[in-house]
Structures are given as structure tokens and as C-alpha cells.
């Protein structure tokens, strides 16, 4: 099994790797990008032709005093100027639509992969790292494809064409210009090496900053309650400062190269000017030629100076693409089987079997004992089995394994005799539903939240689910079942959230229900109402219910006791009470809790 890796602080990959990564999204739009490049080049060539017209004008009509030629020449200059402006406009128009589409496709692919990735991946990757990859990094790549890459090719082409045109005027001057600019190449190579190291670190750091913000905002109540807001600020400040330092380092590297990119062409132009005047005194170069040479050199100053920025932009983008690639390359370890087995067409309730199940989390050390070490359990169709064990004994993990959020390390879990790994995840989800102690709600209406697993269900199903879970509080909400509950249902009480999560599990009308202590936040009276309703509503549905209270245990036909990685006893509550010392010990901890309540 491929292992889930943690986010790495990687390096900037070579261009060919990046091209391979972006190709699937960019390929259908490649022709637009190539066309945009040609449009840009056409505009640049028009700009470079202007000095040539000027040269003809000075050496021709201006020297000879031919007024008749002035108008056509002026019109040509004007035409070239207008053409250049039009090309810039057309390029922008072309790339906007295309690059945003590429960005959208890559973003969709990334998100779809994210939701496909196993729970083990999300256990390890900080949310801020994912957030910045989905938003900031892909945005950067889009701007690079639309602008940076095209301008980089355009600027290099412009410098080459410009130097050729200069050579047409006077090859010695062109050679001096070229030789004078050579140190820039050396400086740029050195800059690239330095910048390469900085850019990835800065992007990773920006992900760490986002993680701190996310965690603090999510835990804002706890931070406030424990008066820890200032510590959170301090921690954030630490991360933000690291980011700032990296940005400063990046900026300094930029500034160092920029200084040379401005200075060197200016010095070279000054040297060429002295030479040109000297050459002109011998008549080796015409007046028009001198003007054209300097006009061209002045035009070339811009792409030369811009080159430093474009190189850093490209490196930023290569690095951002590699961050995208890392997530995309993370394997979907809990994947659909190649040849799925059709789920058995059983009755209302499914049979659930755990056979010699062993399980170890990826981040458990090799020396650590597995959490589950050969666990066997058989839940018959229509049976309700309570799962009891001390805290940390692995009850939630068992539920997670049955729902295939993780895969077993050894052994197997069968639903109606079919290994859960032989079902597609859709097939599996259609068989079962889950409700956790920590309910998860989305910023959507109550209806959408409850019918999440069964979106086509009618209002009767919704009403029944709400009734069973004693969620009558919904009626008094502003828009009833259409009330939109805030982000993560924060506007609801813990017990209300739990009841809606339970309603969701009921509404999907599964054959197997996995309930992880779903009533823990309810008061005793509401709990007994829900328990009675649930008893009726579950009917023939098979259920595995993690129980921390005697009243929840009472809902079950039999109880399984989980201890030291195994199911050590199965029986009715009364049988186990009478025969099992360990069970009495575990149950006595419930009683204490109840007394305290
Ligand atoms: N994602 C994870 N990665 C690594 N270890 C984990 C992970 N989730 C749980 N564990 C460990 O596995 C053990 C069992 O956890 P689990 O949540 O299954 O216990 P539980 O029986 O449900 O406890 P409780 O009654 O407190 O809910 C714990 O020691 C926990 O630290
Ligand atoms: Mg638990």
C-alpha cells in the first residue's frame, strides 16, 4: 500500500516537469496561448520597426528636404504605434478567458482529488497548506501562463530581433552592445540559484500562516475562554514574521539583480553613444543610423530590465506548480476496487462482520502495538449492537474502519459477506450511514444538511428524520427547514447539532447505521425521547452504536466489549453484567458519569 506522505518543504522543479503537470489542463487551450504569443511578438516587432522608419526618414526626406514623403512616413509610424497598442489589447483579451479556464480546471481537479484523498492524508496535512495551494498557488500559475511566460518568450525574442536590427545599422556597435550586456547573463544565472531556494520556502511559510489563522479562528471560543488570545497572536506573529523575513530576502535578491539590470544597459548605451559619434565623424554610420541604433537600444532597455522580474515570476510559478503537484501525486490509498463486487441484495438490515481485524495508524511507530489486534465481531442483519469500551480503546476507529475512512492493516470487514474493499465507495455509502459525536454541519439549509445522504428524499422522510431525532426546534427557526445554518452550524447548540447529524443518518435510510455516541450532548429527558423514537425507527436496520451511557446501551440487543484491541465479550447487557468483571468495571464508569450529571 502506498503510504500517505506529509507535506514536504520541496524544491523548485525543472520546467519540463512543470509543463508535464500543467499539460492536461492547458493542452486544449494551447493554441490560444501560442496565438497570444504571436500577437505579442507582432506588437513587439512593430515597436522595433519604428526606429527603422525613423532612420529612413532622417537619411531620406529630412536630409533631402522632400516634404512630400513626410506624410506617408508619419502615417507609417502612426500605423505601427496603433498596431502595437491593438496587439496588447488583443493579447489581454485572448489570455484572460483561457488562463482563467486553465486555473479553474486545475482547481477543480485539485479539489476533487482532495475530497478523494483518504482520511489519513487529511490527518497529516495542515489545512492552511491545502488552502494556499487551492487559492494562492493556482492564481499565481494562472497569471504566469497569461502574462509571465508569454512575456518571457517575447522579451528574449525582442532582444534577439533588436540586436539583429542593430547589426543591420552597424555590426560593430551591435557587437559592443551585445558584449556589454553579457555580464547580465552571468548575474541572472546566479540570481536564479539564490531565488530558487527562497521562493519555495516563502510559499510554504505562507501556508503555515494560513494554518495558524484557520486553527485560531476555529478555536476562537476556547482561546477567548482561556484568555489565550494574546498567545495565539504571538504564535501568529512568529509565523507572520518568518514570512516577512523571507519576503524581504526575496525582495533583496530582486533588488540586487534589478540594480545591475538598470545600470549595465545604461553604461553600455553610453559607451555605444561615444563610439557612434566617433564612427559618424568618419562617415561610417549615417545620422539616421545613429538615431535608429539608440532608439532600438532604448526600446531594448525595457525587456532587459523586465527580465529579472520575469525570471523570479517564473520561479515562483514553477514552485507553486510543484506544490500543486505534491497534492495531486498523493495516492488515494482508499480507492475503488478494479473489479467491484455487486453488494448483496439482502433485506432491510445488512450483516456486518469484522474478521481478525488488525489496525495501526500510519503515524504509529514500528515498535508500537497495533490499536486493534485481531478483532472479531459479527453483527447480524437487523441487530443493534452496542460497542462499549474505555476511552481510547478504539471504538471510533472501529466505526471509521467499517465506513472505510481507513483500510484495515490486516483481516477484513464484510458487509453481507462482501469485503468493504471490494465495493466501490459509492456502493458502500449507499449501504451505510454514520453519525459522530462531533457532528459536522455545512453552511446550508437544515433540509440540505439532513438530506445530504439522500438528496432526492421527499418531505415525509425529512419530517420523520427530524421527529425521530427530536429536532422540533427546527420549526421555531426563522424559515423552518429552509433556514440556513451558519458555518459549521455554529449558530446551533451542541445538542441541536448532534440531533441534526442523527437526523441525517436516519434520512439516508441505510441498511447499516454506524452511530458514534450520537446522543452524548443531549439532556437525559431529550435523550430518552430520542432513544424511544430511535428504537421504533431503526426497525430492521442493522446498527453498531458506540455507547457511553446505560440508556444508549439499552437501545441495543447485544453489547460488545472492546478491550486492548479486541472484542473480549459479546452478550446482552444483563448477561455481561452477571458474568464479566471487566464489563462491570467499564459500566461502573458510566454510572459515575450519570450520577455526576
Ligand atoms: N487519526 C489518528 N491518528 C493516529 N492515532 C489516532 C488517530 N485517531 C485516533 N488515534 C488513536 O487511537 C486510539 C483510539 O482512538 P479512538 O478515537 O478510536 O478511541 P475511542 O474508543 O473512540 O475513545 P473515546 O471513547 O474517547 O471516544 C487513541 O489512542 C488515539 O490516540
Ligand atoms: Mg470515540
Amino acid at each position: 500500500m502506498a503510504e500517505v506522505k506529509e507535506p514536504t518543504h520541496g524544491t523548485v522543479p525543472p520546467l519540463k516537469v512543470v509543463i508535464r503537470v500543467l499539460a492536461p489542463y492547458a493542452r486544449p487551450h494551447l493554441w490560444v496561448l501560442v496565438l497570444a504569443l504571436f500577437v505579442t511578438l507582432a506588437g513587439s516587432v512593430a515597436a522595433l520597426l519604428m526606429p527603422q522608419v525613423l532612420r529612413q526618414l532622417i537619411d531620406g526626406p529630412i536630409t533631402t528636404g522632400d516634404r512630400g514623403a513626410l506624410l506617408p512616413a508619419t502615417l507609417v509610424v502612426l500605423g505601427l504605434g496603433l498596431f502595437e497598442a491593438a496587439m496588447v489589447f488583443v493579447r489581454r483579451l485572448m489570455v484572460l478567458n483561457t488562463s482563467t479556464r486553465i486555473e479553474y480546471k486545475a482547481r477543480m481537479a485539485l479539489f476533487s482529488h482532495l475530497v478523494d484523498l483518504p482520511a489519513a492524508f487529511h490527518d497529516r496535512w495542515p489545512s492552511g497548506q491545502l488552502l494556499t495551494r487551492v487559492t494562492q498557488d493556482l492564481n499565481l500559475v494562472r497569471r504566469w501562463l497569461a502574462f509571465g511566460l508569454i512575456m518571457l518568450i517575447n522579451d528574449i525574442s525582442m532582444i534577439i530581433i533588436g540586436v539583429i536590427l542593430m547589426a543591420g545599422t552597424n555590426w560593430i556597435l551591435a557587437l559592443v552592445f551585445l558584449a556589454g550586456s553579457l555580464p547580465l547573463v552571468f548575474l541572472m544565472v546566479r540570481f536564479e540559484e539564490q531565488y530558487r531556494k527562497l521562493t519555495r520556502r516563502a510559499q510554504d511559510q505562507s501556508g503555515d500562516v494560513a494554518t495558524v489563522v484557520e486553527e485560531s479562528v476555529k478555536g476562537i471560543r476556547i482561546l477567548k475562554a482561556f484568555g489565550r488570545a494574546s498567545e495565539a497572536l504571538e504564535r501568529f506573529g512568529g509565523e507572520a514574521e518568518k514570512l516577512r523575513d523571507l519576503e524581504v530576502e526575496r525582495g533583496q535578491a530582486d533588488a540586487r539583480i534589478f540594480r545591475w539590470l538598470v545600470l549595465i544597459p545604461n553604461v553600455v548605451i553610453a559607451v555605444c553613444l561615444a563610439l557612434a559619434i566617433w564612427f559618424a565623424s568618419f562617415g561610417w554610420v549615417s545620422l539616421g543610423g545613429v538615431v535608429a541604433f539608440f532608439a532600438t537600444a532604448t526600446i531594448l532597455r525595457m525587456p532587459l530590465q523586465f527580465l529579472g522580474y520575469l525570471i523570479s515570476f517564473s520561479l515562483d510559478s514553477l514552485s507553486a506548480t510543484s506544490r500543486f503537484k505534491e497534492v495531486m501525486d498523493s495516492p488515494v490509498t482508499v480507492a475503488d476496487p478494479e473489479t467491484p463486487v455487486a453488494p448483496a441484495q439482502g433485506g432491510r438490515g445488512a450483516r456486518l462482520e469484522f474478521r481478525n481485524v488488525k489496525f495501526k495508524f500510519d503515524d504509529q511507530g514500528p515498535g508500537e502495538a497495533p490499536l486493534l489486534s485481531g478483532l472479531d465481531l459479527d453483527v447480524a442483519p437487523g441487530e443493534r449492537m452496542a460497542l462499549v469500551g474505555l476511552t481510547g480503546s478504539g471504538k471510533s476507529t472501529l466505526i471509521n474502519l467499517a465506513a472505510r475512512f481507513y483500510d484495515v492493516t490486516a483481516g477484513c470487514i464484510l458487509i453481507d459477506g462482501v469485503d468493504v474493499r471490494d465495493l466501490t465507495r459509492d456502493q458502500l455509502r449507499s449501504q451505510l450511514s454514520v453519525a459522530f459525536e462531533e457532528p459536522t454541519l455545512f453552511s446550508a439549509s437544515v433540509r440540505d444538511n439532513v438530506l445530504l445522504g439522500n438528496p432526492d428524499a421527499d418531505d415525509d422522510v425529512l419530517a420523520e428524520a427530524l421527529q425521530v431525532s427530536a429536532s422540533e426546534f427546527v420549526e421555531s427557526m426563522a424559515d423552518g427547514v429552509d433556514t440556513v445554518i451558519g458555518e459549521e452550524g455554529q449558530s446551533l447548540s451542541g445538542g441541536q447539532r448532534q440531533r441534526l447529524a442523527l437526523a441525517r443518518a436516519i434520512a439516508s435510510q441505510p441498511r447499516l447505521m454506524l452511530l458514534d455516541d450520537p446522543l452524548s450532548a443531549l439532556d437525559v429527558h431529550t435523550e430518552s425521547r430520542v432513544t424511544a423514537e430511535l428504537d421504533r425507527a431503526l426497525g430492521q436496520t442493522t446498527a453498531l452504536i458506540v455507547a457511553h451511557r446505560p440508556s444508549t446501551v439499552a437501545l441495543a440487543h447485544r453489547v460488545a466489549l472492546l478491550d486492548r484491541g479486541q472484542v473480549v465479550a459479546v452478550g446482552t447487557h444483563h448477561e455481561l453484567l452477571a458474568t464479566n468483571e471487566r464489563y462491570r468495571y467499564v459500566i461502573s464508569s458510566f454510572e459515575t458519569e450519570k450520577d455526576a450529571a
Side-chain angles (χ1 to χ4, degrees), residues 123 361 363 371 390-397 406 548:
D123 286 347
F361 282 105
D363 52 2
L371 181 60
L390 291 179
T391 176
S393 55
K395 303 179 295 294
S396 299
T397 307
Y406 300 89
H548 268 131

Side-chain angles (χ1 to χ4, degrees), residues 160-181:
I160 296 171
I161 298 170
V163 171
I164 294 172
L165 287 173
M166 283 170 155
T169 313
N170 186 298
W171 66 269
I172 300 177
L173 283 179
L175 219 57
V176 172
F177 183 86
L178 204 59
S181 304

